Amino acid sequence: MERDAARADDSGRRLRAPVSATDLAGGPIPGHVACVMDGNGRWAARRGLPRTEGHAAGEAALLDAVEGALELGIPWITMYAFSTENWRRPADEVRYLMGFNESLLMRRRDELHEKGVRIRFAGRRDWRVPKRVLRRMDESIDLTARNRRCTLTMAFNYGGRAEIVDAVRHLVDEGIGADKVTEKAIRSRLYFPDQPDPDLVIRTSGEHRISNFLLWQLAYSELVFDEVLWPDFRRTHLFEAVRHFQQRQRRFGGVQ
Ligand code: IPE
Ligand code: IPE
Ligand code: MG
């Protein structure tokens, strides 16, 4: 794994000191970082706890990651909290996740607001999302709408395919002719057209897949996979991922 390689010297014995924000000062800081917060269930299972305890433990990781992003001056963060496929999970877990996301907003929105974070939600507001969760989401959006230090987008009941389908539905509803269907036309109908594409995507828990996250927007994102399970993620993991990012050569299909 990349992360393990970064932490060991050539002989594989010594670990480097954790990366800090100041270590990254000389290089480019990604304008948008997106995270697939994965591994909560495995974190809990390893401790003999129910999966839901893993989700609960993920809250501290989320807040520390946001703090780290603020420290680095990253203006856009997107966090994958619930996918359109996560409804396939046992009803108890889904119910827990709905309630947990609602209570997390109630617990954390004031402190995020004080830090200058604008909260938004990307995803479908369909009938399966309980009304009271939608209410908390709207309250959080309203409370933080004028903040500009950083925009935190929670991808909730989000699917990359659903987002593209929704954009195409808009095009059809508007009666856009085939010759007017361009990348720009599709992009401008995504959930947040004002948001730049992620420069860096981090997925935790050692899984090497996208799982329907931001399919349109990830076309040229740098991907970093980390073995750490999400509840153990802290800002130093974010800094380490940014260090990988700084070592990458982005070509966007061109030549160096
Ligand atoms: C990520 O952790 C949280 C959500 C998908 C809501 P998981 O619940 O997927 O944890 P694992 O992958 O089963 O360990
Ligand atoms: C992706 O994780 C979704 C979130 C982190 C919210 P999953 O755990 O649902 O993805 P798969 O099922 O392993 O691909
Ligand atoms: Mg998972």
Side-chain angles (χ1 to χ4, degrees):
M1 288 310 304
E2 249 181 22
R3 172 152 191 260
D4 294 336
R7 293 174 68 218
D9 68 7
D10 285 344
S11 65
R13 276 173 312 190
R14 255 180 301 136
L15 294 176
R16 283 189 209 155
V19 183
S20 71
T22 46
D23 297 331
L24 302 167
I29 297 298
H32 181 180
V33 175
C35 288
V36 181
M37 307 186 283
D38 197 16
N40 297 351
R42 278 163 282 169
W43 184 93
R46 281 181 198 175
R47 287 161 179 76
L49 299 169
R51 293 176 54 82
T52 49
E53 289 298 315
H55 300 313
E59 178 172 341
L62 171 66
L63 269 291
D64 205 67
V66 172
E67 289 273 356
L70 293 173
E71 214 180 304
L72 290 183
I74 295 170
W76 302 88
I77 322 166
T78 300
M79 295 292 195
Y80 206 1
F82 192 89
S83 76
T84 46
E85 288 70 44
N86 286 150
W87 297 105
R88 294 177 184 156
R89 295 187 177 204
D92 280 355
E93 182 172 347
V94 169
R95 206 172 307 120
Y96 177 88
L97 283 167
M98 291 298 138
F100 173 68
N101 279 291
E102 179 196 359
S103 62
L104 185 146
L105 287 176
M106 288 166 73
R107 273 194 301 285
R108 301 296 193 166
R109 67 186 175 202
D110 288 336
E111 87 186 67
L112 289 167
H113 179 48
E114 279 158 26
K115 292 184 167 86
V117 175
R118 171 170 62 158
I119 304 172
R120 304 202 294 196
F121 298 88
R124 281 194 175 158
R125 295 173 63 107
D126 64 29
W127 57 272
R128 293 176 294 185
V129 181
K131 288 274 180 303
R132 46 167 224 291
V133 180
L134 293 174
R135 222 163 23 239
R136 298 299 168 224
M137 286 162 59
D138 287 337
E139 288 165 7
S140 307
I141 293 165
D142 292 346
L143 173 72
T144 62
R146 279 191 287 275
N147 294 338
R148 284 298 179 276
R149 186 177 175 201
C150 173
T151 299
L152 168 62
T153 303
M154 298 300 293
F156 187 75
N157 193 18
Y158 175 86
R161 289 179 176 177
E163 180 174 25
I164 294 170
V165 168
D166 290 349
V168 172
R169 283 182 183 165
H170 281 299
L171 288 170
V172 173
D173 279 349
E174 293 166 43
I176 307 287
D179 58 325
K180 298 276 184 334
V181 178
T182 57
E183 288 191 12
K184 197 171 158 208
I186 294 175
R187 175 182 292 280
S188 69
R189 287 162 182 84
L190 298 176
Y191 295 144
F192 291 115
D194 62 334
Q195 180 168 277
D197 288 345
D199 299 295
L200 170 63
V201 178
I202 303 167
R203 182 168 187 152
T204 57
S205 85
E207 305 293 0
H208 296 182
R209 56 178 171 261
I210 296 301
S211 300
N212 204 12
F213 192 37
L214 301 172
L215 295 182
W216 180 278
Q217 297 90 335
L218 297 193
Y220 277 101
S221 304
E222 294 299 326
L223 311 179
V224 170
F225 298 101
D226 195 319
E227 293 292 326
V228 70
L229 300 176
W230 180 256
D232 292 328
F233 191 92
R234 289 297 178 272
R235 69 188 79 181
T236 180
H237 298 95
L238 170 70
F239 299 160
E240 206 164 297
V242 171
R243 187 168 63 187
H244 284 301
F245 171 80
Q246 292 185 338
Q247 290 158 355
R248 303 271 176 95
Q249 265 187 25
R250 304 183 80 188
R251 287 188 284 272
F252 300 97
V255 285
Q256 207 61 30

